[in-house]
Amino acid sequence: MTDTLREAYRVMRTIRTFEERVHEEFATGEIPGFVPGYAGDEASAAGVCLHLDDRDAVTGTHRGYGHCIAKGVDVHAMMAEIYGRTTGSCHGKGGSRHIADLAKGLLGANGVVGGGPQLICGTALAAKQQNTGGVGVAFFGDGAGNRGTTLEALNLASAWNLPAIFVAEHDGYAEATSSAWSVASDNIADRAAGFGVPGVIVDGLDFFAVHEAAGEAVERAREGGGPTLIEVKFTGPNPRAGLDCLERFRAAVTDRGELGEPVLDAIDAAVAQLIEDAVAAARSAPKPSREDLETDVYVSY
């Protein structure tokens, strides 16, 4: 259990430190395009993905650094990809919002909001037919939850009893649109009943709640029980006010005597050095050349 807790904290701290550093670098003008924000949601990605392995596939969102890191994508390759370098996970062609690593089962984000859930139905169907024991996990936001593609995927996953898990990260805003204006229910998880799928709501700042709910969903899917919709909620009377999932995690494990402050501080230092090394490597890596334009465009399976 101690090793699991160490790994959970390492993953969450890596997500936070990686993202903070990327925003610092973006401000210098060295990073092309745009960099999204996942800070504050670390418990969601870590809580779910710590149950997964390379058999399993994940689709992230356009602010998906956390999904990538939690699924095991190499941090050096991620940083290089954001810098648009040939050593990046997509050889500098995916950029900040489209990091992917098929070897790790990280299918990345795509150009359509709500485009991930139906892709996960495909991976879940393949896992079921090939009897790999794998599951597919689609992370999406409350805006994507309103898309027909997401609802169609839920219906298909239920009708075909697929090993698929849908994780709605509900932070109350789709870009600048409040869910109070756009979501026709208090809870996205309530929609699960219409598809005959279990719907679970968990506190998005509580790693342990997310981890427990995801563990039950993954076990159920692997055993042939079909899909689950988990709503990881960041809304409420005082959303995020004075709360932080990393600080909450630290307080919980130190109060219970499971991990000490020196152990957690050592993880912080190791992660900081990792990110520093990743930035240095990315800066010194070559950019794609004109000859690279037509390579790695298509992938054969």
Side-chain angles (χ1 to χ4, degrees), residues 173-298:
Y173 279 90
E175 289 285 352
T177 302
S178 168
S179 59
W181 288 75
S182 59
V183 179
S185 61
D186 291 334
N187 305 306
I188 292 174
D190 292 346
R191 297 174 178 175
F195 299 101
V197 171
V200 183
I201 301 173
V202 294
D203 180 352
L205 298 177
D206 185 346
F207 164 82
F208 300 98
V210 177
H211 189 256
E212 180 178 356
E216 292 173 358
V218 170
E219 182 178 4
R220 181 170 179 272
R222 293 201 198 283
E223 294 178 349
T228 299
L229 171 59
I230 301 173
E231 181 177 0
V232 180
K233 207 155 191 172
F234 299 96
T235 61
N238 297 295
R240 303 182 190 279
L243 299 173
D244 180 283
C245 61
L246 273 86
E247 293 306 317
R248 182 183 287 193
F249 182 94
R250 285 185 72 113
V253 297
T254 54
D255 288 350
R256 296 196 293 251
E258 294 167 321
L259 291 177
E261 293 283 357
V263 172
L264 299 170
D265 290 344
I267 293 173
D268 290 350
V271 168
Q273 187 60 55
L274 170 67
I275 302 304
E276 188 67 31
D277 293 345
V279 170
R283 283 174 172 164
S284 61
K287 296 179 180 178
S289 66
R290 182 182 295 273
E291 288 70 29
D292 295 324
L293 279 174
E294 296 183 359
T295 61
D296 305 313
V297 178
Y298 298 102

Side-chain angles (χ1 to χ4, degrees), residues 38-200:
Y38 192 76
D41 295 2
E42 293 89 349
S44 176
V48 172
C49 291
L50 284 177
H51 292 288
L52 307 181
D53 55 42
D54 289 350
R55 293 174 297 172
D56 308 314
V58 164
T59 57
T61 67
H62 286 84
R63 54 186 194 95
Y65 298 155
H67 309 132
C68 298
I69 292 171
K71 192 59 174 67
V73 179
D74 180 69
V75 168
H76 277 69
M78 285 181 61
M79 191 65 78
E81 186 61 36
I82 291 170
Y83 268 82
R85 307 305 169 114
T86 58
T87 53
S89 56
C90 302
H91 306 294
K93 297 174 181 174
S96 174
R97 291 195 169 196
H98 301 287
I99 295 170
D101 186 342
L102 300 186
K104 289 293 181 182
L106 194 285
L107 306 186
N110 59 66
V112 179
V113 173
Q118 66 272 36
L119 296 180
I120 281 305
C121 283
T123 65
L125 177 61
K128 181 178 181 179
Q129 290 182 327
Q130 296 169 10
N131 197 29
T132 65
V135 303
V137 179
F139 289 93
F140 60 94
D142 45 282
N146 294 331
R147 297 297 304 269
T149 51
T150 301
L151 302 176
E152 290 169 7
L154 274 164
N155 178 66
L156 196 63
S158 181
W160 290 358
N161 196 41
L162 298 179
I165 299 163
F166 301 86
V167 181
E169 295 180 328
H170 188 183
D171 64 2
Y173 279 90
E175 289 285 352
T177 302
S178 168
S179 59
W181 288 75
S182 59
V183 179
S185 61
D186 291 334
N187 305 306
I188 292 174
D190 292 346
R191 297 174 178 175
F195 299 101
V197 171
V200 183

